[in-house]
């Protein structure tokens, strides 16, 4: 998605060799118009697939998932991080290793909101090694739900999670795919656009 790639190049900040900060439009301040376009694009990619629910993880996935949900006209369920008292014990639980925090955390979804009848689109902000997605997929599997597709805003292809999960037969569509970050230069997979 050209609009997203342009924003990454003009406003993204690179930390070290592999972390991209996009706090100014996605992860802290939110550009609602941009996210609306992203939601529309996910709808174009996955419409007519019988999706009845969108699932994501708090917190950064929620805004993107809601924008997409507006087009699909379906509810969003977000996995909560850490076991929470007020949701009750009737939970699907999985563990996710965090690439940015270098630690694992639990994610939970109430059994009320996912079941074997659901045909899911999973949405998240970043795909790196695939741990976050694997956690949500584990929860979807516990519920017996079908995973129809996965929509990612920014995939860092060089970390390999996308390839590994696609080999399992998952339909993953990423709006911007970063092939490499090298000395502060971003190269996208489908063109040679670079940021220095
Ligand atoms: P994975 O589990 O695929 O290794 O990493 C995906 C999760 O880690 C995402 O949900 C996102 O929150 C976080 N993440 C991974 N890489 C980055 C990055 O470069 N920038 C930001 N802002 N978050 C990232």
């Amino acid at each position: 998605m050209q609009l997203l790639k342009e924003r990454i190049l003009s406003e993204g900040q690179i930390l070290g060799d592999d972390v991209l900060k996009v706090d100014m439009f996605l992860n802290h301040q939110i550009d609602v118009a941009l996210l609306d376009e992203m939601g529309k694009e996910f709808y174009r990619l996955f419409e007519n697939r019988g999706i009845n629910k969108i699932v994501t993880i708090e917190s950064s996935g929620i805004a993107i998932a809601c924008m997409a949900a507006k087009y699909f006209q379906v509810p969003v369920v977000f996995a909560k991080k850490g076991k929470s008292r007020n949701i009750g014990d009737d939970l699907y639980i999985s563990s996710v290793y965090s690439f940015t925090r270098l630690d694992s955390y639990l994610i939970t979804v109430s059994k009320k909101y996912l079941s074997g009848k659901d045909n899911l689109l999973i949405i998240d902000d970043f795909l790196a090694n695939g741990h976050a997605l694997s956690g949500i997929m584990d929860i979807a599997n516990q519920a017996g739900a079908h995973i129809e597709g996965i929509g990612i805003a920014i995939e860092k292809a060089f970390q390999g999670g996308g390839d590994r999960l696609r080999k399992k037969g998952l339909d993953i569509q990423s709006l911007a795919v970063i092939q490499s970050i090298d000395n502060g230069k971003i190269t996208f997979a489908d063109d040679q656009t670079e940021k220095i």
Side-chain angles (χ1 to χ4, degrees):
M1 185 183 172
Q2 193 56 33
L3 201 56
L4 177 59
K5 291 198 287 183
E6 282 166 12
R7 292 297 289 274
I8 292 170
L9 291 179
S10 62
E11 294 173 49
Q13 289 175 298
I14 297 158
L15 302 183
D17 285 337
D18 50 13
V19 174
L20 174 67
K21 260 190 111 172
V22 285
D23 279 8
M24 51 307 293
F25 59 87
L26 186 60
N27 288 144
H28 196 358
Q29 173 168 271
I30 293 176
D31 182 333
V32 177
L34 174 66
L35 264 65
D36 188 60
E37 288 300 318
M38 290 161 60
K40 200 189 289 178
E41 182 63 5
F42 283 130
Y43 182 67
R44 191 187 67 77
L45 291 166
F46 291 105
E47 66 180 317
N48 304 323
R49 298 271 291 266
I51 284 157
N52 74 322
K53 210 166 270 183
I54 296 180
V55 178
T56 188
I57 299 192
E58 69 177 356
S59 55
S60 297
I62 297 175
I64 313 169
C66 288
M67 292 300 179
K70 198 181 73 167
Y71 290 95
F72 284 94
Q73 297 196 329
V74 299
V76 172
V77 174
F78 64 89
K80 298 197 171 200
K81 288 183 179 169
K83 194 173 174 191
S84 134
R85 281 160 180 266
N86 59 16
I87 198 173
D89 281 332
D90 220 8
L91 302 171
Y92 301 115
I93 302 176
S94 193
S95 172
V96 172
Y97 178 77
S98 166
F99 164 79
T100 41
R101 298 181 198 173
L102 304 175
D103 198 8
S104 293
Y105 59 91
L106 291 182
I107 55 169
T108 62
V109 172
S110 166
K111 289 185 179 171
K112 272 193 271 183
Y113 302 123
L114 281 185
S115 78
K117 293 182 190 149
D118 288 322
N119 193 42
L120 306 177
L121 173 62
I122 296 173
I123 283 187
D124 205 4
D125 58 345
F126 275 88
L127 168 56
N129 297 288
H131 300 302
L133 273 188
S134 297
I136 312 185
M137 284 163 41
D138 179 28
I139 281 182
N141 291 334
Q142 290 175 41
H146 176 69
I147 299 168
E148 182 66 27
I150 297 176
I152 298 291
I154 303 171
E155 175 176 344
K156 294 184 294 176
F158 58 89
Q159 287 173 297
D163 273 1
R164 276 192 290 279
L165 293 169
R166 286 185 183 96
K167 278 186 191 138
K168 294 185 180 175
L170 291 157
D171 180 5
I172 305 178
Q173 303 286 337
S174 301
L175 302 185
V177 180
I178 296 176
Q179 191 61 53
S180 64
I181 298 178
D182 186 19
N183 257 335
K185 278 188 218 163
I186 293 176
T187 304
F188 290 107
D190 46 357
D191 62 39
Q192 298 305 306
T193 318
E194 290 184 346
K195 171 191 176 121
I196 299 179

